[in-house]
Amino acid sequence: WGGKGQGKTFQCALAFKKLGISPIVMSAGELESGNAGEPAKLIRQRYREASDIIKKGKMCSLFINDLDAGAGRFGEATQYTVNNQMVNATLMNIADNPTNVQLPGVYKNENIPRVPVICTGNDFSTLYAPLIRDGRMEKYYWNPTREDRVGVCMGIFQEDKVSRSDVEVLVDTFPGQSIDFFGALRARVYDDKVRDFIKGIGVENIGKRLINSREGKVDFEKPIMTLDLLIQYGKLLVEEQDNVKRVQLADAYLSGAELAGTDGSSLPEQLKPRSSLLN
């Protein structure tokens, strides 16, 4: 568990790949349902699926993404439902009896292979306290150091032949950003190639070129990523982040301050203009 965009799920996927495991995956959205008891039943079913794979001689795991988003409580604004209670109770029961997980309606007392349950999340303090106590859950707080961030970014830019010294400068230029920020930087460079392609053939011809085209697949020339270009894109991304924090239109709309009139609000000139670093 740890901060957003720090590569928790990515590292788990990498570990699974190195171990040759195809985990049974659940997301936070499956931990709530309109039917009482459905998510708890689903957890047991997925656990048993993973156990059956292990019984056949292959390693497996149950991987739950963003557990706190589905089963946690975020202040008084979050409603605590029967399903939240049953999900927490089911996970506690599995942690206490990992070799005796029964399906609803099937009550045979048989031992099954134990399955590792791995969860990711941003804040495990929002979960039910007895679930996260020592002995039931082994917790690992992921807070990457500068060396960790440089190492992950080296992997991100590996195919683009960006040198370690340039990656270190890039990481030091944006010290407060999460690791996924640097992945977004790389994607922005490739997005420009896509935009150039669209301008070249015209928006109206995209469908003909991409779907069942006789010309085959679209090939893009690999862009050259210089440190200056990456820093320019980084500043643009930071500016967009600042815009989201600064231009909070929901507050203005709800307060009625943005009603039309002599002081109308539809004047883009009143907003800070976007950076023209790339022009």
Side-chain angles (χ1 to χ4, degrees):
W1 68 283
K4 57 181 172 52
Q6 299 290 12
K8 300 179 293 296
T9 302
F10 172 75
Q11 288 191 91
C12 288
L14 197 64
F16 287 138
K17 187 176 179 181
K18 286 198 172 187
L19 288 166
I21 294 175
S22 294
I24 303 295
V25 181
M26 290 189 70
S27 70
E30 295 176 287
L31 301 180
E32 188 52 87
S33 169
N35 302 321
E38 197 67 35
K41 178 182 175 183
L42 187 61
I43 290 173
R44 290 179 179 273
Q45 286 176 337
R46 298 280 173 86
Y47 187 92
R48 290 293 295 249
E49 283 176 33
S51 183
D52 288 342
I53 292 172
I54 293 172
K55 192 183 289 186
K56 293 173 184 174
K58 288 184 68 178
M59 290 196 296
C60 196
S61 168
L62 177 60
F63 183 48
I64 304 176
N65 260 317
D66 302 312
L67 175 63
D68 57 328
R73 297 192 70 183
F74 297 89
E76 295 179 359
T78 309
Q79 186 178 7
Y80 196 66
T81 66
V82 172
N83 280 328
N84 293 145
Q85 285 181 300
M86 295 184 75
V87 164
N88 281 310
T90 299
L91 289 172
M92 287 166 59
N93 180 254
I94 289 174
D96 292 338
N97 303 288
T99 60
N100 183 21
V101 177
Q102 298 175 345
L103 294 172
V106 182
Y107 303 112
K108 291 188 294 183
N109 197 8
E110 59 172 340
N111 279 350
I112 62 172
R114 181 174 183 163
V115 177
V117 182
I118 300 169
C119 309
T120 63
N122 295 124
D123 187 357
F124 280 175
S125 69
T126 62
L127 295 172
Y128 186 50
L131 173 63
I132 65 172
R133 72 163 171 80
D134 297 323
R136 281 204 177 111
M137 180 185 283
E138 187 75 26
K139 296 168 287 296
Y140 177 67
Y141 177 54
W142 171 242
N143 186 23
T145 62
R146 177 185 178 276
E147 195 61 31
D148 292 329
R149 290 153 62 82
V150 170
V152 175
C153 288
M154 283 296 295
I156 292 173
F157 294 106
Q158 185 176 11
E159 294 182 7
D160 305 297
K161 304 293 189 292
V162 180
S163 67
R164 184 179 179 88
S165 59
D166 284 351
V167 169
E168 289 179 349
V169 172
L170 193 63
V171 169
D172 292 337
T173 304
F174 304 102
Q177 298 293 339
S178 59
I179 289 172
D180 66 350
F181 172 85
F182 301 100
L185 274 187
R186 182 175 183 270
R188 275 288 180 103
V189 180
Y190 281 89
D191 286 346
D192 268 359
K193 285 286 182 185
V194 176
R195 289 191 187 95
D196 291 341
F197 165 73
I198 294 171
K199 287 178 184 176
I201 68 169
V203 175
E204 65 280 0
N205 297 318
I206 292 176
K208 296 176 186 176
R209 179 63 185 88
L210 296 181
I211 309 297
N212 298 327
S213 173
R214 293 181 180 179
E215 300 176 52
K217 290 173 62 177
V218 178
D219 288 321
F220 292 105
E221 185 182 337
K222 183 165 282 192
I224 299 172
M225 295 198 187
T226 64
L227 178 60
D228 290 340
L229 183 67
L230 291 171
I231 289 176
Q232 284 178 352
Y233 275 110
K235 288 178 179 177
L236 284 177
L237 286 175
V238 170
E239 192 171 310
E240 289 299 336
Q241 292 172 349
D242 291 339
N243 279 341
V244 172
K245 289 187 289 186
R246 183 176 57 82
V247 187
Q248 297 183 2
L249 293 178
D251 292 341
Y253 292 160
L254 292 173
S255 67
E258 298 293 334
L259 295 174
T262 53
D263 296 325
S265 59
S266 298
L267 294 173
E269 295 81 7
Q270 291 181 355
L271 298 176
K272 182 182 174 185
R274 272 194 62 162
S275 173
S276 55
L277 284 167
L278 297 180
N279 295 335

